[in-house]
Structure formats: structure tokens, C-alpha cells
mmCIF file of all heavy atoms in Angstrom:
data_model
loop_
_atom_site.group_PDB
_atom_site.id
_atom_site.type_symbol
_atom_site.label_atom_id
_atom_site.label_comp_id
_atom_site.label_asym_id
_atom_site.label_seq_id
_atom_site.Cartn_x
_atom_site.Cartn_y
_atom_site.Cartn_z
ATOM 1 N N GLY A 1 115.936 -86.004 99.531
ATOM 2 C CA GLY A 1 116.844 -86.636 100.553
ATOM 3 C C GLY A 1 116.251 -86.293 101.997
ATOM 4 O O GLY A 1 117.024 -86.616 102.893
ATOM 5 N N ILE A 2 115.161 -85.702 102.162
ATOM 6 C CA ILE A 2 114.587 -85.362 103.465
ATOM 7 C C ILE A 2 113.509 -86.366 103.842
ATOM 8 O O ILE A 2 112.610 -86.654 102.954
ATOM 9 C CB ILE A 2 114.007 -83.920 103.425
ATOM 10 C CG1 ILE A 2 115.229 -83.003 103.166
ATOM 11 C CG2 ILE A 2 113.371 -83.646 104.841
ATOM 12 C CD1 ILE A 2 114.797 -81.569 102.880
ATOM 13 N N PHE A 3 113.498 -86.755 104.959
ATOM 14 C CA PHE A 3 112.498 -87.736 105.582
ATOM 15 C C PHE A 3 111.397 -86.861 106.059
ATOM 16 O O PHE A 3 111.465 -86.287 107.220
ATOM 17 C CB PHE A 3 113.053 -88.700 106.613
ATOM 18 C CG PHE A 3 111.959 -89.668 107.105
ATOM 19 C CD1 PHE A 3 111.566 -90.676 106.416
ATOM 20 C CD2 PHE A 3 111.451 -89.373 108.466
ATOM 21 C CE1 PHE A 3 110.503 -91.534 106.969
ATOM 22 C CE2 PHE A 3 110.474 -90.261 108.940
ATOM 23 C CZ PHE A 3 109.998 -91.290 108.217
ATOM 24 N N GLY A 4 110.330 -86.568 105.308
ATOM 25 C CA GLY A 4 109.321 -85.844 105.650
ATOM 26 C C GLY A 4 107.993 -86.749 105.617
ATOM 27 O O GLY A 4 108.090 -87.884 105.432
ATOM 28 N N LYS A 5 106.939 -85.931 105.877
ATOM 29 C CA LYS A 5 105.621 -86.737 105.913
ATOM 30 C C LYS A 5 105.355 -87.459 104.705
ATOM 31 O O LYS A 5 104.745 -88.588 104.883
ATOM 32 C CB LYS A 5 104.332 -85.629 106.241
ATOM 33 C CG LYS A 5 103.202 -86.194 106.824
ATOM 34 C CD LYS A 5 103.453 -86.801 108.144
ATOM 35 C CE LYS A 5 102.119 -87.264 108.736
ATOM 36 N NZ LYS A 5 102.329 -87.997 109.950
ATOM 37 N N ASN A 6 105.579 -86.928 103.544
ATOM 38 C CA ASN A 6 105.147 -87.665 102.356
ATOM 39 C C ASN A 6 106.060 -88.959 102.183
ATOM 40 O O ASN A 6 105.514 -90.045 101.808
ATOM 41 C CB ASN A 6 105.386 -86.838 101.097
ATOM 42 C CG ASN A 6 104.346 -85.721 100.931
ATOM 43 O OD1 ASN A 6 103.237 -85.889 101.545
ATOM 44 N ND2 ASN A 6 104.541 -84.619 100.428
ATOM 45 N N THR A 7 107.248 -88.842 102.540
ATOM 46 C CA THR A 7 108.140 -90.103 102.403
ATOM 47 C C THR A 7 107.701 -91.112 103.480
ATOM 48 O O THR A 7 107.643 -92.262 103.155
ATOM 49 C CB THR A 7 109.610 -89.674 102.671
ATOM 50 O OG1 THR A 7 110.113 -88.802 101.618
ATOM 51 C CG2 THR A 7 110.548 -90.860 102.693
ATOM 52 N N GLU A 8 107.375 -90.667 104.749
ATOM 53 C CA GLU A 8 106.885 -91.491 105.813
ATOM 54 C C GLU A 8 105.632 -92.166 105.346
ATOM 55 O O GLU A 8 105.451 -93.420 105.468
ATOM 56 C CB GLU A 8 106.647 -90.647 107.048
ATOM 57 C CG GLU A 8 106.171 -91.480 108.233
ATOM 58 C CD GLU A 8 105.902 -90.799 109.496
ATOM 59 O OE1 GLU A 8 105.866 -89.533 109.411
ATOM 60 O OE2 GLU A 8 105.878 -91.464 110.468
ATOM 61 N N ASN A 9 104.679 -91.502 104.784
ATOM 62 C CA ASN A 9 103.420 -92.163 104.321
ATOM 63 C C ASN A 9 103.787 -93.203 103.138
ATOM 64 O O ASN A 9 103.124 -94.192 103.203
ATOM 65 C CB ASN A 9 102.444 -90.951 103.718
ATOM 66 C CG ASN A 9 101.878 -90.214 104.885
ATOM 67 O OD1 ASN A 9 101.885 -90.691 106.058
ATOM 68 N ND2 ASN A 9 101.414 -89.042 104.591
ATOM 69 N N ALA A 10 104.726 -92.870 102.216
ATOM 70 C CA ALA A 10 105.057 -93.781 101.253
ATOM 71 C C ALA A 10 105.578 -95.012 101.896
ATOM 72 O O ALA A 10 105.305 -96.203 101.507
ATOM 73 C CB ALA A 10 106.043 -93.189 100.203
ATOM 74 N N MET A 11 106.376 -94.927 102.899
ATOM 75 C CA MET A 11 106.957 -96.018 103.497
ATOM 76 C C MET A 11 106.057 -96.888 104.250
ATOM 77 O O MET A 11 106.018 -98.129 104.276
ATOM 78 C CB MET A 11 108.012 -95.726 104.674
ATOM 79 C CG MET A 11 109.403 -95.191 103.963
ATOM 80 S SD MET A 11 110.508 -94.678 105.471
ATOM 81 C CE MET A 11 112.005 -94.307 104.449
ATOM 82 N N LYS A 12 104.919 -96.236 104.695
ATOM 83 C CA LYS A 12 103.901 -97.022 105.436
ATOM 84 C C LYS A 12 103.016 -97.730 104.337
ATOM 85 O O LYS A 12 102.502 -98.861 104.777
ATOM 86 C CB LYS A 12 103.047 -96.025 106.163
ATOM 87 C CG LYS A 12 103.481 -95.489 107.487
ATOM 88 C CD LYS A 12 102.610 -94.486 108.198
ATOM 89 C CE LYS A 12 103.292 -93.814 109.370
ATOM 90 N NZ LYS A 12 102.410 -92.788 109.967
ATOM 91 N N SER A 13 102.811 -97.161 103.150
ATOM 92 C CA SER A 13 101.923 -97.853 102.226
ATOM 93 C C SER A 13 102.593 -98.755 101.306
ATOM 94 O O SER A 13 101.955 -99.638 100.819
ATOM 95 C CB SER A 13 101.148 -96.818 101.586
ATOM 96 O OG SER A 13 101.928 -95.935 100.709
ATOM 97 N N MET A 14 103.909 -98.596 101.033
ATOM 98 C CA MET A 14 104.467 -99.340 100.021
ATOM 99 C C MET A 14 105.305 -100.416 100.664
ATOM 100 O O MET A 14 106.482 -100.592 100.613
ATOM 101 C CB MET A 14 105.410 -98.396 99.099
ATOM 102 C CG MET A 14 104.621 -97.368 98.463
ATOM 103 S SD MET A 14 105.543 -96.231 97.438
ATOM 104 C CE MET A 14 105.792 -97.173 95.925
ATOM 105 N N VAL A 15 104.569 -101.453 101.248
ATOM 106 C CA VAL A 15 105.264 -102.629 101.881
ATOM 107 C C VAL A 15 105.747 -103.516 100.801
ATOM 108 O O VAL A 15 104.926 -103.946 99.899
ATOM 109 C CB VAL A 15 104.163 -103.164 102.755
ATOM 110 C CG1 VAL A 15 104.784 -104.418 103.513
ATOM 111 C CG2 VAL A 15 103.678 -102.256 103.807
ATOM 112 N N CYS A 16 107.024 -103.913 100.944
ATOM 113 C CA CYS A 16 107.577 -104.976 100.113
ATOM 114 C C CYS A 16 107.417 -106.352 100.864
ATOM 115 O O CYS A 16 107.907 -106.524 101.990
ATOM 116 C CB CYS A 16 109.038 -104.668 99.784
ATOM 117 S SG CYS A 16 109.304 -103.410 98.554
ATOM 118 N N LYS A 17 106.813 -107.239 100.161
ATOM 119 C CA LYS A 17 106.596 -108.578 100.708
ATOM 120 C C LYS A 17 106.434 -109.516 99.613
ATOM 121 O O LYS A 17 106.153 -109.187 98.526
ATOM 122 C CB LYS A 17 105.508 -108.628 101.737
ATOM 123 C CG LYS A 17 104.071 -108.410 101.059
ATOM 124 C CD LYS A 17 103.085 -108.258 102.045
ATOM 125 C CE LYS A 17 101.790 -107.995 101.517
ATOM 126 N NZ LYS A 17 100.683 -107.943 102.474
ATOM 127 N N LYS A 18 106.421 -110.792 99.961
ATOM 128 C CA LYS A 18 106.256 -111.874 99.014
ATOM 129 C C LYS A 18 104.807 -111.868 98.714
ATOM 130 O O LYS A 18 103.917 -111.795 99.496
ATOM 131 C CB LYS A 18 106.628 -113.226 99.553
ATOM 132 C CG LYS A 18 106.547 -114.321 98.578
ATOM 133 C CD LYS A 18 107.245 -115.599 98.973
ATOM 134 C CE LYS A 18 107.171 -116.501 97.795
ATOM 135 N NZ LYS A 18 107.062 -117.859 98.266
ATOM 136 N N ARG A 19 104.422 -111.868 97.394
ATOM 137 C CA ARG A 19 103.019 -111.865 96.876
ATOM 138 C C ARG A 19 102.853 -113.119 96.016
ATOM 139 O O ARG A 19 103.667 -113.679 95.461
ATOM 140 C CB ARG A 19 102.830 -110.586 96.109
ATOM 141 C CG ARG A 19 102.979 -109.375 96.811
ATOM 142 C CD ARG A 19 102.814 -108.131 96.059
ATOM 143 N NE ARG A 19 103.145 -106.924 96.789
ATOM 144 C CZ ARG A 19 102.336 -106.249 97.626
ATOM 145 N NH1 ARG A 19 101.146 -106.835 97.811
ATOM 146 N NH2 ARG A 19 102.667 -105.239 98.203
ATOM 147 N N LEU A 20 101.572 -113.524 95.987
ATOM 148 C CA LEU A 20 101.144 -114.641 95.185
ATOM 149 C C LEU A 20 101.247 -114.416 93.705
ATOM 150 O O LEU A 20 101.599 -115.228 92.914
ATOM 151 C CB LEU A 20 99.861 -115.169 95.485
ATOM 152 C CG LEU A 20 99.714 -115.643 96.909
ATOM 153 C CD1 LEU A 20 98.298 -115.937 97.247
ATOM 154 C CD2 LEU A 20 100.581 -116.793 97.247
ATOM 155 N N ILE A 21 100.912 -113.234 93.311
ATOM 156 C CA ILE A 21 100.812 -112.868 91.798
ATOM 157 C C ILE A 21 101.689 -111.571 91.592
ATOM 158 O O ILE A 21 101.345 -110.515 92.123
ATOM 159 C CB ILE A 21 99.479 -112.607 91.336
ATOM 160 C CG1 ILE A 21 98.635 -113.950 91.582
ATOM 161 C CG2 ILE A 21 99.491 -112.254 89.805
ATOM 162 C CD1 ILE A 21 97.204 -113.789 91.241
ATOM 163 N N GLY A 22 102.822 -111.623 90.911
ATOM 164 C CA GLY A 22 103.494 -110.452 90.495
ATOM 165 C C GLY A 22 104.232 -109.797 91.625
ATOM 166 O O GLY A 22 104.169 -110.303 92.823
ATOM 167 N N TYR A 23 104.940 -108.808 91.261
ATOM 168 C CA TYR A 23 105.845 -108.083 92.200
ATOM 169 C C TYR A 23 105.277 -106.587 92.109
ATOM 170 O O TYR A 23 105.636 -105.897 91.109
ATOM 171 C CB TYR A 23 107.311 -108.284 92.006
ATOM 172 C CG TYR A 23 107.603 -109.744 92.197
ATOM 173 C CD1 TYR A 23 107.650 -110.477 91.063
ATOM 174 C CD2 TYR A 23 107.829 -110.205 93.456
ATOM 175 C CE1 TYR A 23 107.891 -111.902 91.069
ATOM 176 C CE2 TYR A 23 108.080 -111.611 93.530
ATOM 177 C CZ TYR A 23 108.054 -112.406 92.501
ATOM 178 O OH TYR A 23 108.355 -113.686 92.563
ATOM 179 N N LYS A 24 104.761 -106.174 93.150
ATOM 180 C CA LYS A 24 104.058 -104.798 92.979
ATOM 181 C C LYS A 24 105.108 -103.651 93.083
ATOM 182 O O LYS A 24 104.915 -102.584 92.373
ATOM 183 C CB LYS A 24 103.154 -104.631 94.227
ATOM 184 C CG LYS A 24 102.235 -103.413 94.155
ATOM 185 C CD LYS A 24 101.222 -103.422 95.194
ATOM 186 C CE LYS A 24 100.262 -102.263 95.057
ATOM 187 N NZ LYS A 24 99.225 -102.276 96.017
ATOM 188 N N TYR A 25 106.310 -103.764 93.754
ATOM 189 C CA TYR A 25 107.329 -102.703 93.800
ATOM 190 C C TYR A 25 108.716 -103.304 93.529
ATOM 191 O O TYR A 25 109.545 -103.425 94.395
ATOM 192 C CB TYR A 25 107.179 -102.104 95.233
ATOM 193 C CG TYR A 25 105.894 -101.591 95.683
ATOM 194 C CD1 TYR A 25 105.159 -102.147 96.709
ATOM 195 C CD2 TYR A 25 105.280 -100.643 94.990
ATOM 196 C CE1 TYR A 25 104.091 -101.636 97.140
ATOM 197 C CE2 TYR A 25 104.042 -100.096 95.361
ATOM 198 C CZ TYR A 25 103.392 -100.598 96.584
ATOM 199 O OH TYR A 25 102.164 -100.186 96.877
ATOM 200 N N PRO A 26 108.987 -103.467 92.264
ATOM 201 C CA PRO A 26 110.163 -104.067 91.912
ATOM 202 C C PRO A 26 111.360 -103.187 92.143
ATOM 203 O O PRO A 26 112.420 -103.680 92.614
ATOM 204 C CB PRO A 26 110.060 -104.261 90.321
ATOM 205 C CG PRO A 26 108.958 -103.469 89.816
ATOM 206 C CD PRO A 26 108.001 -103.244 91.014
ATOM 207 N N ASN A 27 111.302 -101.959 92.033
ATOM 208 C CA ASN A 27 112.521 -100.997 92.360
ATOM 209 C C ASN A 27 112.740 -100.952 93.908
ATOM 210 O O ASN A 27 113.867 -100.956 94.370
ATOM 211 C CB ASN A 27 112.186 -99.632 91.702
ATOM 212 C CG ASN A 27 112.238 -99.694 90.319
ATOM 213 O OD1 ASN A 27 113.313 -100.035 89.689
ATOM 214 N ND2 ASN A 27 111.139 -99.668 89.612
ATOM 215 N N LEU A 28 111.567 -100.807 94.702
ATOM 216 C CA LEU A 28 111.778 -100.897 96.101
ATOM 217 C C LEU A 28 112.325 -102.201 96.610
ATOM 218 O O LEU A 28 113.170 -102.273 97.448
ATOM 219 C CB LEU A 28 110.558 -100.611 96.920
ATOM 220 C CG LEU A 28 110.148 -99.120 96.912
ATOM 221 C CD1 LEU A 28 108.654 -98.881 97.471
ATOM 222 C CD2 LEU A 28 111.183 -98.301 97.728
ATOM 223 N N THR A 29 111.970 -103.416 95.865
ATOM 224 C CA THR A 29 112.467 -104.624 96.077
ATOM 225 C C THR A 29 113.939 -104.764 95.902
ATOM 226 O O THR A 29 114.722 -105.227 96.669
ATOM 227 C CB THR A 29 111.685 -105.691 95.355
ATOM 228 O OG1 THR A 29 110.272 -105.634 95.734
ATOM 229 C CG2 THR A 29 112.282 -107.215 95.621
ATOM 230 N N LYS A 30 114.346 -104.056 94.853
ATOM 231 C CA LYS A 30 115.807 -104.035 94.467
ATOM 232 C C LYS A 30 116.521 -103.311 95.617
ATOM 233 O O LYS A 30 117.648 -103.687 96.062
ATOM 234 C CB LYS A 30 116.156 -103.471 93.135
ATOM 235 C CG LYS A 30 115.646 -104.419 91.925
ATOM 236 C CD LYS A 30 115.996 -103.674 90.703
ATOM 237 C CE LYS A 30 115.499 -104.452 89.423
ATOM 238 N NZ LYS A 30 115.657 -103.747 88.256
ATOM 239 N N PHE A 31 115.843 -102.196 96.037
ATOM 240 C CA PHE A 31 116.505 -101.371 97.168
ATOM 241 C C PHE A 31 116.784 -102.190 98.436
ATOM 242 O O PHE A 31 117.660 -102.206 99.039
ATOM 243 C CB PHE A 31 115.585 -100.124 97.311
ATOM 244 C CG PHE A 31 115.824 -99.360 98.505
ATOM 245 C CD1 PHE A 31 116.892 -98.598 98.641
ATOM 246 C CD2 PHE A 31 114.913 -99.401 99.677
ATOM 247 C CE1 PHE A 31 117.161 -97.695 99.876
ATOM 248 C CE2 PHE A 31 115.068 -98.630 100.674
ATOM 249 C CZ PHE A 31 116.250 -97.813 100.872
ATOM 250 N N VAL A 32 115.682 -102.961 98.774
ATOM 251 C CA VAL A 32 115.667 -103.891 99.972
ATOM 252 C C VAL A 32 116.697 -105.057 99.736
ATOM 253 O O VAL A 32 117.545 -105.380 100.493
ATOM 254 C CB VAL A 32 114.301 -104.533 100.196
ATOM 255 C CG1 VAL A 32 114.368 -105.680 101.261
ATOM 256 C CG2 VAL A 32 113.440 -103.375 100.659
ATOM 257 N N GLN A 33 116.791 -105.672 98.622
ATOM 258 C CA GLN A 33 117.647 -106.716 98.223
ATOM 259 C C GLN A 33 119.150 -106.356 98.407
ATOM 260 O O GLN A 33 119.850 -107.042 98.900
ATOM 261 C CB GLN A 33 117.423 -107.187 96.765
ATOM 262 C CG GLN A 33 116.110 -108.039 96.734
ATOM 263 C CD GLN A 33 115.738 -108.457 95.406
ATOM 264 O OE1 GLN A 33 116.018 -107.724 94.336
ATOM 265 N NE2 GLN A 33 115.050 -109.445 95.198
ATOM 266 N N LYS A 34 119.389 -105.132 97.911
ATOM 267 C CA LYS A 34 120.793 -104.624 98.141
ATOM 268 C C LYS A 34 121.066 -104.414 99.561
ATOM 269 O O LYS A 34 122.231 -104.775 99.955
ATOM 270 C CB LYS A 34 120.762 -103.161 97.447
ATOM 271 C CG LYS A 34 122.234 -102.539 97.560
ATOM 272 C CD LYS A 34 122.260 -101.188 96.793
ATOM 273 C CE LYS A 34 123.561 -100.471 96.912
ATOM 274 N NZ LYS A 34 123.533 -99.167 96.180
#
């Protein structure tokens, strides 16, 4: 539950966006959709 360097790096690298093939981060996408 702490926003540290590892969480920050994950946020930077795990971008949720529309992709042409498949959905790279389905659980993060659900988090965003909520």
C-alpha cells in the first residue's frame, strides 16, 4: 500500500492503452475501467 520507487516504475512502464492485438494488462485495465 506504499507508493515507492518500484510501484512508481511499474506505473511508468505498465501503460494501459488501446492495442491492435490483445490486451497486455487486463487486470490493470479493469482497475482503470472501475
Side-chain angles (χ1 to χ4, degrees):
I2 298 171
F3 179 73
K5 196 67 173 169
N6 290 335
T7 300
E8 181 178 16
N9 288 337
M11 285 181 175
K12 288 178 182 176
S13 67
M14 300 179 85
V15 177
C16 279
K17 62 182 178 179
K18 187 168 184 210
R19 298 178 186 277
L20 296 177
I21 301 173
Y23 299 95
K24 192 168 184 178
Y25 305 118
N27 294 290
L28 282 173
T29 298
K30 288 178 186 178
F31 169 71
V32 169
Q33 289 170 324
K34 180 178 179 181

